[in-house]
């Protein structure tokens, strides 16, 4: 099997083929997801909450992400592997380069960064140095204390316009993938149609080019709580492989997320 690449994902957007993505943190689950043809695996800083039991993602270090990236990469043959840049690992352009290089050396094919226009110099520099970048807008968990909690973003016109403007500038700077988290369905659809790069949604409705869930949420086994935008696929299936397969089928067919998993 050929490994999924940025070109693969771009072609999927252009052909209106939905992209199915999940988080992964170890080789065993990565192998299962890879064998079920999950397109993208993200080593998310969500590991702070679902693995460590923290209330947020802020304690996760670059070494944590690098360790789990090495594990996930060893379990994959086909899936595209994206690694999160954790909190304060890209606070300056210089440490962005160093930390992104660590994740690429650990096996990532792309790094993901949360934030808008303030990231433009770092993104441009990474792309110039051969490191692909995924953006992340909307609810950015590393800014949870600024937002005053895990709240939907973009419900007001001014805020929605800012997210759209940020997305367009990030694309101009060179990102090749964008994650939109917890934004109204109409806003996510508008942004997806405005960009030429693939947009992956989580709590962003069905109008994006693909979907991602935290694997623990998809299995209904998260330690903290089940987000509104998630669905427990293990509840109605016989085993984990069947749950993953059902999730992929629902994403590809546009059945997930439904209105009950989305925000207006």
């Amino acid at each position: 099997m050929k490994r999924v690449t940025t070109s693969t994902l771009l072609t999927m957007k252009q052909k209106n083929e939905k992209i199915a993505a999940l988080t992964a943190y170890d080789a065993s689950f990565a192998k299962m997801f890879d064998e079920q043809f999950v397109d993208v695996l993200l080593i998310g800083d969500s590991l702070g909450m679902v693995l460590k039991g923290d209330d947020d993602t802020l304690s996760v270090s670059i070494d944590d992400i690098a360790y789990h990236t090495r594990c996930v990469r060893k379990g994959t043959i086909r899936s595209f592997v994206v690694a999160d840049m954790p909190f304060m690992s890209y606070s300056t352009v210089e440490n962005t380069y160093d930390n992104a290089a660590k994740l690429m050396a650990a096996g990532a094919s792309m790094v993901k960064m949360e934030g808008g226009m303030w990231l433009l110099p770092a993104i441009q520099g990474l792309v110039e140095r051969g490191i692909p970048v995924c953006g992340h807008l909307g609810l950015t968990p590393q800014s949870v204390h600024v937002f005053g909690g895990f709240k939907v973003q973009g419900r007001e016109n001014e805020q929605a316009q800012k997210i759209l403007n940020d997305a367009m500038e990030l694309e101009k700077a060179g990102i090749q993938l964008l994650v939109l988290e917890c934004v109204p369905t109409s806003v996510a659809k508008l942004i997806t149609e405005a960009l030429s790069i693939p947009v992956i949604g989580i709590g962003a409705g069905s109008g994006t080019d693909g979907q991602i869930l935290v694997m623990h949420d998809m299995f209904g086994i998260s330690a903290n709580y089940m987000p509104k935008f998630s669905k427990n696929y293990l509840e109605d299936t016989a085993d984990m492989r069947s749950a993953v397969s059902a999730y992929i089928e629902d994403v590809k067919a546009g059945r997930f997320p439904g209105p009950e998993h989305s925000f207006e």
Side-chain angles (χ1 to χ4, degrees):
M1 292 183 292
K2 291 184 178 179
R3 188 173 289 277
V4 174
T5 66
T6 53
S7 296
T8 309
L9 299 175
L10 180 59
T11 299
M12 292 176 72
K13 178 186 176 84
Q14 294 168 343
K15 292 183 176 180
N16 293 317
E17 297 177 6
K18 295 288 189 178
I19 299 165
L22 284 169
T23 65
Y25 312 96
D26 64 37
S28 296
F29 276 108
K31 184 174 186 292
M32 181 201 302
F33 299 158
D34 191 79
E35 291 173 346
Q36 296 297 315
F37 298 100
V38 174
D39 300 307
V40 178
L41 294 180
L42 169 68
I43 299 88
D45 59 5
S46 50
L47 70 87
M49 301 175 75
V50 297
L51 298 189
K52 297 170 65 179
D54 293 338
D55 293 330
D56 53 43
T57 65
L58 305 186
S59 70
V60 177
S61 70
I62 194 70
D63 290 335
D64 291 334
I65 298 291
Y67 169 82
H68 289 280
T69 298
R70 283 191 291 272
C71 295
V72 167
R73 183 69 184 212
K74 289 178 180 178
T76 67
I77 296 174
R78 174 184 177 273
S79 299
F80 187 70
V81 177
V82 182
D84 257 342
M85 296 280 285
F87 182 61
M88 293 301 288
S89 67
Y90 48 104
S91 57
T92 68
V93 172
E94 289 72 22
N95 70 1
T96 299
Y97 296 162
D98 291 341
N99 288 322
K102 289 180 182 178
L103 298 184
M104 296 297 286
S109 295
M110 174 179 276
V111 299
K112 181 169 76 66
M113 304 166 70
E114 299 181 9
M117 294 189 194
W118 68 274
L119 288 175
L120 298 184
I123 291 170
Q124 291 167 344
L126 288 175
V127 173
E128 288 170 356
R129 288 157 178 77
I131 297 180
V133 180
C134 173
H136 185 153
L137 293 171
L139 172 57
T140 47
Q142 292 173 22
S143 301
V144 62
H145 294 306
V146 174
F147 295 147
F150 295 94
K151 298 179 179 180
V152 178
Q153 303 295 306
R155 278 183 161 150
E156 298 177 358
N157 289 338
E158 183 177 349
Q159 193 180 53
Q161 186 63 52
K162 183 180 186 306
I163 296 172
L164 172 60
N165 292 344
D166 283 347
M168 296 178 72
E169 290 302 316
L170 292 179
E171 180 179 28
K172 289 179 184 177
I175 68 167
Q176 293 175 280
L177 194 64
L178 177 67
V179 171
L180 279 180
E181 181 168 356
C182 287
V183 299
T185 298
S186 58
V187 175
K189 187 173 186 295
L190 177 67
I191 293 171
T192 301
E193 292 172 350
L195 300 186
S196 61
I197 60 172
V199 177
I200 308 297
I202 177 167
S206 60
T208 56
D209 299 307
Q211 302 295 326
I212 186 167
L213 285 179
V214 173
M215 56 164 281
H216 295 71
D217 293 343
M218 189 265 295
F219 288 137
I221 57 172
S222 291
N224 295 318
Y225 74 102
M226 179 67 71
K228 168 187 168 68
F229 54 72
S230 190
K231 179 178 177 179
N232 180 358
Y233 275 90
L234 194 57
E235 191 172 37
D236 298 321
T237 54
D239 57 39
M240 287 183 168
R241 286 180 174 80
S242 298
V244 175
S245 178
Y247 165 70
I248 295 171
E249 289 175 8
D250 278 359
V251 170
K252 299 289 186 181
R255 293 189 294 266
F256 178 83
E260 68 273 26
H261 309 114
S262 307
F263 303 98
E264 298 301 330

